[in-house]
Amino acid sequence: MHRVYLIGLAAVLASSPGLAQQDAVARGQRDFRACMPCHSLEPDRNMTGPSLAGLWGRKAGSLESFERYSDALRSSGIIWDERSLDAWIMDPDRMVPGNDMPFNGIKDDRARADLLAFLKQATKPGAQPQSSIEGRGGGMMGGMMGGGGRDRNLKSLEAAMQVKAITYCHDTYRVTTADGKTRAFWERNLRLKTDSGEDGPQSSAPALVPAGMMGDRADVIFAAPEEISKTIERRC
């Protein structure tokens, strides 16, 4: 009996490093929710920042499908590995002065280690899609991010989101939708955007998307920039 106990204890101790790694990945996955508004894990699905798919071993500023790198990052010569990513996540401005990433860094050593453990697993070849990785765990952040951070498809819209006309007078936009309703927005509360991707609206069919917590803000998303001036009429 004593021998059986020792064998069992040895098995538990041998598996402890693996269990610790799993715990680190799970914590890092939760921490990654703070990154989701700006970064995708899907190949070439770029958002505010570049996709993180295939990140390990990639030269900083080199993802061809992403066009918004700062000159400072492009010319840094950094290769992303565990050491360089740890320094970057801790303090991007210190590592690459003049970069454009609006992020103050993570100062907690364990939090960075957890996030790196998750990224190493989530970005390796054959990793599961972003939607299933980010959708687990739920919670308030998961709900706010739409269950995985994926923007909704604007190709097919209900009438309340189909923009039919926009007028501008003094400091006010009035947006009329296909359901016959017209909403007024203070000019600083209505943002005009474009989305030329696969989830963007149909050509000449801009979408009205609610934004903010108070219901007084919205985005109008066009398929192309030239549609903006064609759609908005200056009229009081």
Side-chain angles (χ1 to χ4, degrees):
M1 184 69 180
H2 183 64
R3 183 183 177 199
V4 172
Y5 172 77
L6 290 176
I7 292 173
L9 179 60
V12 170
L13 292 174
S15 64
S16 293
L19 292 174
Q21 178 67 10
Q22 292 176 15
D23 289 343
V25 170
R27 291 192 301 266
Q29 178 180 325
R30 291 191 294 270
D31 292 340
F32 184 72
R33 293 175 186 171
C35 310
M36 286 166 50
C38 295
H39 291 286
S40 164
L41 296 173
E42 297 178 30
D44 292 323
R45 181 175 176 252
N46 302 310
M47 301 167 69
T48 301
S51 165
L52 300 182
L55 177 66
W56 298 88
R58 189 165 79 200
K59 183 179 179 181
S62 67
L63 184 63
E64 292 185 1
S65 62
F66 186 76
E67 301 179 355
R68 296 183 293 280
Y69 288 115
S70 64
D71 291 340
L73 193 62
R74 286 185 188 276
S75 61
S76 68
I78 294 169
I79 302 296
W80 294 125
D81 57 19
E82 193 159 347
R83 183 177 178 181
S84 59
L85 280 168
D86 181 66
W88 172 257
I89 294 171
M90 180 171 63
D91 193 338
D93 288 335
R94 180 178 180 181
M95 186 176 185
V96 183
N99 82 85
D100 291 338
M101 185 171 176
F103 177 61
N104 293 327
I106 298 173
K107 309 309 178 187
D108 184 87
D109 292 342
R110 195 186 83 162
R112 292 198 313 277
D114 292 343
L115 184 56
L116 289 174
F118 167 70
L119 287 174
K120 182 173 286 187
Q121 177 174 298
T123 61
K124 65 184 180 182
Q128 59 185 311
Q130 177 185 18
S131 56
S132 58
I133 289 175
E134 295 174 358
R136 293 201 304 256
M140 183 176 67
M141 282 298 296
M144 289 178 66
M145 296 308 299
R150 183 82 190 188
D151 294 330
R152 67 170 295 173
N153 190 297
L154 301 178
K155 289 288 192 290
S156 180
L157 301 170
E158 57 266 33
M161 294 181 65
Q162 298 175 29
V163 176
K164 293 302 180 182
I166 303 175
T167 61
Y168 174 72
C169 178
H170 303 308
D171 65 351
T172 302
Y173 286 103
R174 287 179 170 80
V175 181
T176 301
T177 47
D179 58 358
K181 296 181 179 179
T182 298
R183 293 187 60 191
F185 296 93
W186 179 42
E187 59 186 351
R188 289 203 177 194
N189 284 355
L190 187 70
R191 295 176 293 185
L192 308 177
K193 299 182 175 181
T194 60
D195 186 346
S196 59
E198 61 180 16
D199 292 333
Q202 301 281 4
S203 178
S204 301
L208 179 68
V209 180
M213 303 294 290
M214 305 298 293
D216 61 342
R217 301 169 187 265
D219 300 333
V220 177
I221 304 178
F222 300 82
E226 57 269 18
E227 294 183 8
I228 297 176
S229 59
K230 293 179 181 179
T231 304
I232 300 174
E233 178 185 1
R234 185 184 288 269
R235 174 166 55 83
C236 294

